[in-house]
Amino acid sequence: YAAIGHYEDAIRDFDSAIHLNPKRGHAYYEKAEFYNNIGRKSEAIAAYQDCINHMGADDDYAKWSKSALAKIK
């Protein structure tokens, strides 16, 4: 979707994946990365934080989210 500018469609797909499996860290993290890559920093920060909150401190996706947050802020 991103390559053709359909950002909102991509975000809906991430949200659907999260809804179907709320413990899937990959979906939270990739949503955050997507927001970050398209320059929507405030949404990226919120999505990284969601990943951390839902996955727990020991999860790799949560760790990567913490690292990404440190670079944004």
Side-chain angles (χ1 to χ4, degrees), residues 4 7-8 11 23 26 43 50-51 53 56 58 62 65 70 73:
I4 58 175
Y7 300 146
E8 297 309 315
I11 293 164
K23 286 296 184 185
H26 183 259
E43 288 108 326
D50 282 345
C51 182
N53 292 340
D58 293 331
S65 291
K73 292 183 177 180

Side-chain angles (χ1 to χ4, degrees), residues 3-73:
I4 58 175
H6 291 189
Y7 300 146
E8 297 309 315
D9 290 331
I11 293 164
R12 271 192 297 276
D13 280 357
F14 288 123
D15 288 339
S16 292
I18 291 166
H19 177 74
L20 289 171
N21 186 353
K23 286 296 184 185
R24 186 171 185 205
H26 183 259
Y28 290 101
Y29 181 76
E30 290 301 326
K31 179 181 177 183
E33 287 286 284
F34 180 76
Y35 275 133
N36 196 27
N37 289 334
I38 63 171
R40 291 170 61 174
K41 301 300 182 193
S42 61
E43 288 108 326
I45 291 168
Y48 285 126
Q49 194 61 53
D50 282 345
C51 182
I52 294 164
N53 292 340
H54 285 91
M55 300 313 301
D58 293 331
D59 181 80
D60 284 341
Y61 290 109
K63 291 174 185 175
W64 297 335
S65 291
K66 286 179 189 176
S67 177
L69 279 173
K71 293 175 187 172
I72 291 176
K73 292 183 177 180

